[in-house]
Amino acid sequence: MHFTKQVQDLRVISYSRLNPRHFVLELLAPDPLPVILPGQFAQVLVEDSPSTFLRRPFSIHAVDVAKNTFRLLIQIKGEGTRHLSRLHVGDSLNVLYPLGNTFTLPTTKEVLLVGGGCGVAPLLILAQFLNQNKVHPTILVGFRTKEEVSEIEEYAKYGKVLITTDDGSEGEKGLVVDHSIFNRESLEFKKIYCCGPDAMMKAVAKIARLHRVDCEVSLENTMACGFGVCLCCITPTDKGNERVCVEGPVFNINRLKW
Amino acid sequence: MHFTKQVQDLRVISYSRLNPRHFVLELLAPDPLPVILPGQFAQVLVEDSPSTFLRRPFSIHAVDVAKNTFRLLIQIKGEGTRHLSRLHVGDSLNVLYPLGNTFTLPTTKEVLLVGGGCGVAPLLILAQFLNQNKVHPTILVGFRTKEEVSEIEEYAKYGKVLITTDDGSEGEKGLVVDHSIFNRESLEFKKIYCCGPDAMMKAVAKIARLHRVDCEVSLENTMACGFGVCLCCITPTDKGNERVCVEGPVFNINRLKW
Amino acid sequence: MVTPDLSVNIAGMHFKNPVTTASGTFGYGDEFLDFMDLGRLGGIFVKAVTGKNRDGNGYPRMAETASGMLNSVGLQNKGVDHFCHEIYPRIRDFNTHIIVNVSGSTIEEYVAVAERINELEKIPAIELNISCPNVKYGGMAFGTIPSMATEVTAEVRKVYKKVLMVKLSPNVTSITDLAKAAVDGGADVITLINTLLGMAIDAERRRPILSTITGGLSGPAIKPVALRMVWQVHKAVSVPIIGLGGIMNATDAIEFILAGASAIQVGTANFVDPVASVKIAEGIEAYMKRHKIEAMTSLIGALRTE
Amino acid sequence: MVTPDLSVNIAGMHFKNPVTTASGTFGYGDEFLDFMDLGRLGGIFVKAVTGKNRDGNGYPRMAETASGMLNSVGLQNKGVDHFCHEIYPRIRDFNTHIIVNVSGSTIEEYVAVAERINELEKIPAIELNISCPNVKYGGMAFGTIPSMATEVTAEVRKVYKKVLMVKLSPNVTSITDLAKAAVDGGADVITLINTLLGMAIDAERRRPILSTITGGLSGPAIKPVALRMVWQVHKAVSVPIIGLGGIMNATDAIEFILAGASAIQVGTANFVDPVASVKIAEGIEAYMKRHKIEAMTSLIGALRTE
Ligand SMILES: Cc1cc2nc3c(=O)[nH]c(=O)nc-3n(C[C@H](O)[C@H](O)[C@H](O)COP(=O)(O)OP(=O)(O)OC[C@H]3O[C@@H](n4cnc5c(N)ncnc54)[C@H](O)[C@@H]3O)c2cc1C
Ligand SMILES: Cc1cc2nc3c(=O)[nH]c(=O)nc-3n(C[C@H](O)[C@H](O)[C@H](O)COP(=O)(O)OP(=O)(O)OC[C@H]3O[C@@H](n4cnc5c(N)ncnc54)[C@H](O)[C@@H]3O)c2cc1C
Ligand SMILES: Cc1cc2nc3c(=O)[nH]c(=O)nc-3n(C[C@H](O)[C@H](O)[C@H](O)COP(=O)(O)O)c2cc1C
Ligand SMILES: Cc1cc2nc3c(=O)[nH]c(=O)nc-3n(C[C@H](O)[C@H](O)[C@H](O)COP(=O)(O)O)c2cc1C
Ligand code: FES
Ligand code: FES
């Protein structure tokens, strides 16, 4: 077991296209994987892309220690992710990992995971990890539409899955915060873990505050290095400007200036 | 029959690797090909290469009007050509063509074509064209070594082929100018067409001058545009600084300051 | 929605759209006739014209760099006489504004060329190129000293009666000082930027790549510097600005317009794609439709910084 | 052949090789311990230290550009006290030169920081950062006015007894004037270049990308400008130069050395590849072997221009 950061050429050993905007890469490491904890991310070098100069950060979606692989769930946004979407099984990818801090273990069993869009990515490894610690979370995942709903069987292995879609084509209609679990006088959870667009996380944080429930969020940010040296990825916290790539990406909402 | 320059997406319909350093691409045009004359070249956009910003110039190697295709013979030199070497049949390539002037028709039947390295590229289309005009040239081609000798059957369709290799592993040993045809009191040719590295062309020009034989050479140069607007590719001639991409690439040696 | 109105008015000149082409990268326009209808452009800035024939610099004149290129062409042209007699008749009737880039080594040369171009009926404006890194005055590039910029502009202003544009060099500590100096001299329009002074070396041969050792850097590499200068000058002077530097596509062009440019020039992009300028005009129209913007003019300097 | 000697001597300091890392891009070095043995580097320039704690600028602080990036970090650091007590003990025993980048807003601040760093036994040199585009003095960046550059250098020189390096801004009309000014003030070494002032815009949102609107451009995009400045300064002053700006690989590094740099710094490249600096040192050695060059020193300024 080792905790060292790696910069390695990994091999794409499987590629699944979930829908037109999302795909999952499974990457095989040449040496035994270092310990990877839920919430950590990887910085991926996008080779052969004229417009992608810096690495691109992606949460680690799942780890398979037996196979010595981990997975990334990627949403196509711009040039970098489009290039990655054109990879093939067998291609190699230069990756810097694992980076950042982790979600903390809950002191309760009433746990809710909330994810929207590609923000669902770190929830799978988190659910896996919670299970190992005997916690079976409720997992609320939001998608645009039925066609984008994916990997539900994966999440279902580790907890009860709730779904929302913007258009109501599957699960409840609306955003994740519109889900009926939040529509009650008291909340049945004592801890929330959340990852997704800023606006979504802020809305969830508001609910958490309202119900005085502990809540951790995984922030996005524009990163140049990903390992703490450029100071480009800061977020204001109770300790001043902190680095999302080292002191984060996971923050307890109490520490954020939200 | 039209003479307009095109900027088109062409399809790679065949790819032959001649040897580790050279390959031939056959490109299919979407519309009927414009007239392409021997000596003209194409400016190829190298997509997905972070370090290749400008197009890359390549002589047109051969034209097949029936198939609506033309070929490029490419030597791997740097990033741009390395990227092109990784193309596959079916890929598309953005090409600006045909550019530049052409070799002129000879007024004699005693014609010698001399090419070295990737400088052999325009000699095939030239030989083809000479045949159409009832001229059967002697074609002297120089390679590094036996392993690089290639497409001899192609040249042999249009004239007698002579070979040199640097190490003597095929044909005569030495550089093209060391070939025994030049080693006589008088030269049996009245017109020489030459393409290759500068030093080689200068050496051939010297022989041509010695024997008072008319000689045309196809120059290389660093090009930004390839169609006459940037003035980056000039060569000093009897008319001052002329553009290699428009007034050339073919020049009669009498006009050059060699 | 109605078709967006891409037209802009610059110092009294009506441009059908804000897309023009940069001097030295578009020849005299006719080299592009195979590729496009020049009438689809707002205007064409033809290559530098000087008093007399110039051979320009020696070979090599070009080096590719990361997302850009260096050139040291050195104002090669056949002089103003040749321009008036041979080139002008050939290009005068293009269905777009033809603007002449006027260059020189001395104030007298600038004035002499401007005076001749002033007589050409179909040339509505000149662009005074006081920014070529290869032309020196007292060891410094002309356009780097504010007082010199004012002087050359003022002298040309005396003889040139139409729209006077002045093109600035980015190789200065304060671009706003230079812009103000040009406006003080009578500039109607400020064009910026010309190339950044750079250098390339062939490590294998241990030699400079350009015959002149240093040359002008252009292309996407310089876009951030160009955008910054357009923004600074837009806040500092009230004359219209024509912005350029690394514009490759419509998004780039819109960035310059938001930063304060009333029109843009497409330069090095023409080499990579001869149809780039037309595609950019089309892309700007598409952007306006998508954002429901009716008039181009409402985008000029419309960067939200609050 | 014998193993080439990569060592260089800079103002009396012995560097085992010419590869060092640029301030602000390498943290305090310890972030790289997972990736490399720091002892393989000639030196490390740690991030800017100022008199007091600085929070730096707001978010966002970074924008990617063509072959480069803009940053507006704004000298975030915990101040010189914190550096001396918390950081220095942690890094003092790295097996390479640790050089501190000293920044400030006033001459007094520079002097105060330099005085403190002077006491630290294992810090053999400071690099005076008079070139940060985000720190202003009378509306202008400090390092753009030669007289100011001389003054701040001279004042620091009075209190700083070891090797004094001065890092220059490229955002000036004449880099040689600034270099001479720093040498006049007592600089032992000139470092160049810092970032070019640039800007990035999000056309969709019609907003600047950086919270500070403008920021510093780094990466391969600026290499041609940096090389040109190293070359110009090399011809103008006789003190050693440390060159940087867009160095990504050994070939880039050798270009700077040929242009006149005695050592180089690897900056933005560290973000793309944390092991870049070590690979560059290895690549330089391979180049020297291939070209049969026995001593690094024979390459410094060895550009052939005849
Ligand atoms: C810690 C962390 C973990 C992440 N995990 C995942 C993940 O698991 N799966 C996933 O699909 N994405 C994830 N992201 C986001 C991902 O990094 C970006 O979508 C990606 O970098 C976009 O690259 P691109 O070249 O395709 O787009 P670009 O062309 O760079 O940008 C396209 C658009 O996306 C915006 N954008 C780019 N990067 C970011 C960013 N870091 N934050 C917010 N907006 C951005 C740009 O402003 C632009 O509008 C994560 C980001 C961070 C910081
Ligand atoms: C009119 C013309 C016709 C050409 N025809 C052919 C052809 O048919 N087949 C072929 O293989 N090549 C041909 N070339 C050369 C070809 O354009 C270059 O080899 C190619 O551009 C190199 O690109 P790169 O990105 O691989 O190399 P780069 O990384 O750009 O350069 C690698 C090395 O090659 C040198 N180099 C690059 N471009 C040129 C050039 N234009 N002239 C001289 N040296 C150069 C560089 O200095 C460098 O040392 C032709 C060039 C011209 C001007
Ligand atoms: C090959 C070349 C030649 C140029 N010649 C001129 C010129 O004659 N006059 C001028 O004002 N600018 C000239 N320029 C500068 C361009 O007009 C433009 O200012 C610069 O290239 C930046 O824009 P870009 O990045 O879009 O190319 C030239 C640029 C290049 C690349
Ligand atoms: C994120 C970032 C932070 C920087 N911080 C500093 C700094 O604190 N002090 C300094 O002198 N230069 C700083 N610089 C400038 C670099 O040291 C270097 O001069 C510049 O980036 C050019 O080199 P490069 O292109 O190799 O990165 C910083 C650059 C970056 C990208
Ligand atoms: S991305 Fe560089 S410090 Fe976080
Ligand atoms: S390459 Fe531009 S004029 Fe020849």
Side-chain angles (χ1 to χ4, degrees):
Chain A
M1 225 170 65
H2 60 119
F3 287 89
T4 9
K5 296 188 195 87
Q6 309 288 323
V7 47
Q8 278 178 340
D9 287 325
L10 305 182
R11 196 152 295 281
V12 178
I13 64 154
S14 84
Y15 176 113
S16 8
R17 193 69 175 230
L18 303 182
N19 55 54
R21 293 200 308 142
H22 297 86
F23 60 99
V24 173
L25 294 178
E26 184 173 13
L27 303 171
L28 176 69
D31 304 317
L33 285 177
V35 173
I36 297 176
L37 294 168
Q40 290 195 295
F41 66 100
Q43 277 275 63
V44 175
L45 188 67
V46 185
E47 274 168 296
D48 294 351
S49 164
S51 64
T52 311
F53 173 62
L54 297 166
R55 287 176 186 260
R56 294 293 189 263
F58 302 100
S59 301
I60 293 182
H61 181 44
V63 177
D64 190 328
V65 177
K67 281 170 79 181
N68 210 38
T69 65
F70 63 88
R71 277 184 276 165
L72 303 177
L73 165 60
I74 299 177
Q75 176 176 325
I76 300 175
K77 273 215 176 142
E79 262 322 300
T81 48
R82 204 178 339 269
H83 256 78
L84 295 175
S85 77
R86 297 197 197 105
L87 284 168
H88 296 100
V89 169
D91 286 348
S92 117
L93 203 60
N94 190 276
V95 184
L96 173 59
Y97 75 100
L99 303 170
N101 72 350
T102 78
F103 290 105
T104 62
L105 265 182
T107 52
T108 166
K109 303 236 160 189
E110 285 122 307
V111 169
L112 175 67
L113 314 193
V114 185
C118 63
V120 299
L123 301 188
L124 187 60
I125 178 172
L126 174 59
Q128 220 174 4
F129 182 77
L130 290 172
N131 269 215
Q132 284 158 15
N133 289 282
K134 312 265 184 301
V135 176
H136 292 267
T138 299
I139 305 167
L140 168 59
V141 281
F143 302 91
R144 279 202 197 165
T145 169
K146 187 186 170 80
E147 283 66 42
E148 298 207 341
V149 175
S150 47
E151 300 199 297
I152 299 303
E153 18 6 293
E154 294 280 332
Y155 299 103
K157 287 184 200 160
Y158 308 108
K160 176 175 161 196
V161 180
L162 305 174
I163 296 171
T164 62
T165 52
D166 294 1
D167 60 1
S169 54
E170 189 164 337
E172 291 193 19
K173 177 173 167 140
L175 305 174
V176 281
V177 283
D178 300 328
H179 196 279
S180 52
I181 53 164
F182 298 123
N183 214 346
R184 298 174 197 158
E185 215 130 287
S186 73
L187 199 62
E188 54 179 303
F189 307 100
K190 297 273 178 310
K191 172 98 189 199
I192 303 179
Y193 298 93
C194 177
C195 184
D198 250 36
M200 184 201 110
M201 293 195 288
K202 283 183 176 152
V204 170
K206 208 170 149 191
I207 294 172
R209 284 216 179 85
L210 186 71
H211 296 284
R212 298 221 173 81
V213 164
D214 200 43
C215 178
E216 293 179 14
V217 294
S218 172
L219 300 186
E220 285 209 8
N221 207 297
T222 52
M223 296 188 172
C225 70
F227 54 100
V229 297
C230 75
L231 303 191
C232 285
C233 67
I234 51 96
T235 200
T237 71
D238 55 0
K239 293 191 190 154
N241 279 336
E242 284 191 282
R243 295 167 299 183
V244 171
C245 71
V246 174
E247 284 80 27
V250 179
F251 289 92
N252 194 297
I253 56 165
N254 294 332
R255 301 202 45 236
L256 296 172
K257 309 259 161 180
W258 277 7
Chain B
M1 226 169 64
H2 60 119
F3 287 90
T4 8
K5 296 187 195 88
Q6 310 286 324
V7 48
Q8 278 178 341
D9 286 325
L10 306 181
R11 197 152 292 282
V12 178
I13 63 155
S14 83
Y15 176 112
S16 9
R17 193 69 175 232
L18 303 182
N19 55 56
R21 293 200 308 139
H22 296 87
F23 60 99
V24 173
L25 294 178
E26 185 172 11
L27 303 171
L28 176 70
D31 305 316
L33 285 176
V35 174
I36 297 176
L37 295 167
Q40 289 193 296
F41 66 99
Q43 277 275 65
V44 175
L45 189 67
V46 184
E47 274 169 296
D48 294 349
S49 164
S51 65
T52 310
F53 172 63
L54 298 165
R55 287 176 185 261
R56 294 293 188 262
F58 301 101
S59 301
I60 292 181
H61 182 43
V63 177
D64 189 328
V65 177
K67 281 169 79 180
N68 210 40
T69 64
F70 64 87
R71 277 184 275 166
L72 303 176
L73 165 60
I74 299 177
Q75 177 177 323
I76 300 175
K77 274 213 177 146
E79 262 321 301
T81 48
R82 203 178 338 268
H83 255 78
L84 296 175
S85 76
R86 296 197 198 107
L87 284 169
H88 297 100
V89 170
D91 285 347
S92 120
L93 203 60
N94 190 275
V95 186
L96 173 59
Y97 74 102
L99 304 171
N101 72 351
T102 77
F103 290 106
T104 62
L105 265 182
T107 53
T108 166
K109 304 236 159 188
E110 284 122 310
V111 169
L112 175 68
L113 315 193
V114 185
C118 63
V120 300
L123 300 188
L124 187 61
I125 179 173
L126 174 60
Q128 219 175 4
F129 181 77
L130 290 171
N131 270 215
Q132 284 158 16
N133 289 282
K134 314 263 181 305
V135 175
H136 292 266
T138 300
I139 305 168
L140 169 58
V141 280
F143 302 91
R144 278 202 198 164
T145 169
K146 186 186 170 78
E147 282 67 43
E148 297 209 340
V149 174
S150 49
E151 300 200 298
I152 299 304
E153 13 17 284
E154 293 280 332
Y155 299 103
K157 288 184 200 160
Y158 308 108
K160 178 178 159 193
V161 180
L162 306 174
I163 295 171
T164 62
T165 50
D166 293 2
D167 60 1
S169 54
E170 189 164 339
E172 291 193 17
K173 177 175 169 142
L175 304 174
V176 283
V177 285
D178 299 327
H179 195 278
S180 52
I181 53 165
F182 296 124
N183 212 346
R184 298 175 196 156
E185 215 132 286
S186 75
L187 197 62
E188 54 178 305
F189 307 100
K190 297 272 178 310
K191 173 98 192 198
I192 303 179
Y193 298 93
C194 178
C195 185
D198 250 36
M200 183 200 112
M201 294 196 287
K202 284 184 176 153
V204 170
K206 207 170 152 195
I207 294 173
R209 285 218 179 85
L210 185 74
H211 294 286
R212 299 221 173 79
V213 166
D214 201 42
C215 178
E216 293 178 14
V217 294
S218 173
L219 299 186
E220 285 207 8
N221 207 297
T222 51
M223 296 186 172
C225 70
F227 53 100
V229 297
C230 75
L231 303 190
C232 285
C233 67
I234 50 97
T235 200
T237 71
D238 54 359
K239 293 190 189 156
N241 278 337
E242 284 191 283
R243 296 168 297 184
V244 170
C245 71
V246 174
E247 285 81 27
V250 179
F251 289 92
N252 194 297
I253 56 165
N254 293 332
R255 300 201 45 236
L256 296 172
K257 309 261 158 178
W258 277 9
Chain C
M1 77 177 278
V2 291
T3 317
D5 177 8
L6 270 76
S7 71
V8 288
N9 182 297
I10 298 179
M13 287 169 70
H14 177 266
F15 286 75
K16 69 188 82 161
N17 65 50
V19 181
T20 69
T21 56
S23 177
T25 69
F26 208 71
Y28 297 110
D30 44 5
E31 293 87 347
F32 286 81
L33 291 173
D34 273 0
F35 306 117
M36 65 169 85
D37 168 9
L38 298 177
R40 295 172 70 185
L41 298 176
I44 294 173
F45 288 75
V46 300
K47 65 208 219 48
V49 174
T50 56
K52 295 264 170 325
N53 175 74
R54 283 191 193 227
D55 272 347
N57 295 316
Y59 171 81
R61 289 182 173 183
M62 194 276 281
E64 199 179 27
T65 66
S67 298
M69 61 175 276
L70 289 163
N71 88 81
S72 59
V73 170
L75 303 179
Q76 178 176 343
N77 81 104
K78 295 214 162 78
V80 67
D81 266 349
H82 182 262
F83 179 81
C84 293
H85 298 126
E86 306 293 325
I87 316 280
Y88 174 65
R90 198 169 95 201
I91 66 175
R92 51 172 288 160
D93 293 324
F94 288 155
N95 178 26
T96 189
H97 288 310
I98 310 289
I99 299 164
V100 175
N101 184 261
V102 170
S103 295
S105 308
T106 61
I107 293 187
E108 295 68 39
E109 187 177 359
Y110 280 105
V111 171
V113 176
E115 212 162 2
R116 294 291 306 282
I117 306 294
N118 192 52
E119 293 159 17
L120 304 178
E121 185 200 354
K122 296 289 188 72
I123 307 290
I126 58 172
E127 181 183 60
L128 223 54
N129 173 18
I130 59 166
S131 46
C132 184
N134 301 315
V135 181
K136 308 281 172 187
Y137 182 91
M140 284 275 269
F142 225 132
T144 61
I145 307 158
S147 59
M148 291 291 308
T150 304
E151 191 180 340
V152 65
T153 310
E155 290 302 317
V156 169
R157 181 75 289 179
K158 287 182 194 158
V159 303
Y160 190 72
K161 307 303 176 194
K162 305 183 215 170
V163 174
L164 177 56
M165 305 177 168
V166 175
K167 183 169 179 183
L168 301 183
S169 164
N171 302 298
V172 295
T173 307
S174 168
I175 194 72
T176 52
D177 285 355
L178 268 296
K180 286 179 197 156
V183 171
D184 287 347
D188 298 314
V189 177
I190 297 292
T191 302
L192 71 169
I193 63 174
N194 211 311
T195 53
L196 279 168
L197 193 60
M199 177 171 176
I201 290 175
D202 181 336
E204 288 304 307
R205 295 169 54 246
R206 278 179 250 167
R207 291 185 182 281
I209 295 184
L210 300 176
S211 66
T212 46
I213 306 181
T214 60
L217 181 65
S218 64
I222 70 169
K223 192 185 77 168
V225 174
L227 266 181
R228 181 261 295 184
M229 291 189 166
V230 168
W231 169 246
Q232 289 178 321
V233 170
H234 173 65
K235 289 188 301 174
V237 303
S238 55
V239 302
I241 295 167
I242 298 181
L244 77 155
I247 295 175
M248 297 298 283
N249 53 46
T251 309
D252 295 337
I254 288 158
E255 291 167 19
F256 277 84
I257 292 164
L258 292 169
S262 295
I264 60 96
Q265 293 180 4
V266 180
T268 304
N270 295 306
F271 306 158
V272 177
D273 182 2
V275 225
S277 51
V278 169
K279 286 184 187 160
I280 289 171
E282 288 167 357
I284 293 176
E285 181 166 345
Y287 174 94
M288 290 173 71
K289 283 187 179 159
R290 190 152 43 80
H291 287 268
K292 306 209 190 322
I293 292 159
E294 284 173 23
M296 185 71 242
T297 44
S298 66
L299 281 177
I300 299 168
L303 191 70
R304 299 173 179 149
T305 55
E306 75 295 342
Chain D
M1 76 177 281
V2 289
T3 317
D5 177 8
L6 269 76
S7 71
V8 288
N9 181 297
I10 298 179
M13 287 169 69
H14 177 266
F15 285 76
K16 68 188 85 162
N17 67 48
V19 181
T20 69
T21 56
S23 176
T25 69
F26 208 72
Y28 297 111
D30 43 4
E31 293 88 346
F32 287 80
L33 290 173
D34 272 1
F35 307 116
M36 65 169 87
D37 168 7
L38 298 176
R40 295 172 71 185
L41 298 176
I44 293 173
F45 289 74
V46 300
K47 63 207 222 46
V49 174
T50 55
K52 294 263 169 329
N53 175 73
R54 283 192 191 226
D55 272 346
N57 295 315
Y59 172 81
R61 291 182 172 183
M62 195 275 282
E64 198 179 26
T65 66
S67 298
M69 62 173 276
L70 289 163
N71 87 82
S72 59
V73 170
L75 304 180
Q76 178 176 343
N77 81 104
K78 296 213 162 81
V80 69
D81 266 347
H82 182 263
F83 179 80
C84 293
H85 298 126
E86 306 293 325
I87 317 280
Y88 174 65
R90 197 169 93 201
I91 65 175
R92 51 171 287 161
D93 292 324
F94 288 155
N95 178 25
T96 188
H97 289 310
I98 309 288
I99 299 164
V100 175
N101 183 262
V102 170
S103 294
S105 307
T106 60
I107 293 188
E108 294 67 40
E109 186 176 1
Y110 280 105
V111 171
V113 177
E115 213 162 0
R116 294 291 306 282
I117 306 293
N118 191 53
E119 294 158 15
L120 304 178
E121 184 200 355
K122 295 290 189 73
I123 307 290
I126 58 172
E127 181 183 61
L128 223 54
N129 174 18
I130 58 165
S131 46
C132 185
N134 302 315
V135 181
K136 309 282 173 188
Y137 182 92
M140 284 274 269
F142 225 131
T144 60
I145 307 158
S147 59
M148 291 291 308
T150 304
E151 193 181 338
V152 66
T153 311
E155 291 302 318
V156 169
R157 181 74 291 178
K158 287 184 196 156
V159 303
Y160 191 71
K161 307 303 175 194
K162 306 184 213 170
V163 174
L164 176 57
M165 306 178 169
V166 176
K167 183 168 177 184
L168 301 182
S169 164
N171 302 298
V172 295
T173 306
S174 168
I175 193 71
T176 53
D177 286 355
L178 268 297
K180 286 179 198 157
V183 173
D184 286 348
D188 298 314
V189 177
I190 297 292
T191 302
L192 69 171
I193 61 176
N194 211 311
T195 53
L196 279 167
L197 193 60
M199 176 172 176
I201 291 175
D202 181 337
E204 289 304 308
R205 294 168 55 245
R206 279 179 248 166
R207 292 186 181 279
I209 296 182
L210 300 176
S211 67
T212 47
I213 306 182
T214 60
L217 181 65
S218 63
I222 70 170
K223 192 185 78 168
V225 174
L227 266 181
R228 181 261 295 182
M229 291 188 167
V230 168
W231 169 246
Q232 289 178 322
V233 170
H234 173 66
K235 289 188 302 175
V237 302
S238 54
V239 302
I241 296 167
I242 299 181
L244 77 156
I247 295 177
M248 297 298 284
N249 53 46
T251 309
D252 295 338
I254 288 158
E255 292 167 20
F256 277 83
I257 292 165
L258 292 169
S262 294
I264 59 98
Q265 292 180 5
V266 180
T268 304
N270 294 308
F271 306 157
V272 178
D273 182 1
V275 222
S277 52
V278 169
K279 286 185 187 160
I280 289 171
E282 289 167 356
I284 293 176
E285 180 166 347
Y287 174 94
M288 290 173 72
K289 283 186 178 157
R290 190 152 42 80
H291 286 269
K292 306 206 190 323
I293 293 161
E294 283 172 25
M296 186 70 241
T297 45
S298 67
L299 280 177
I300 299 168
L303 191 70
R304 299 174 178 147
T305 55
E306 73 294 344

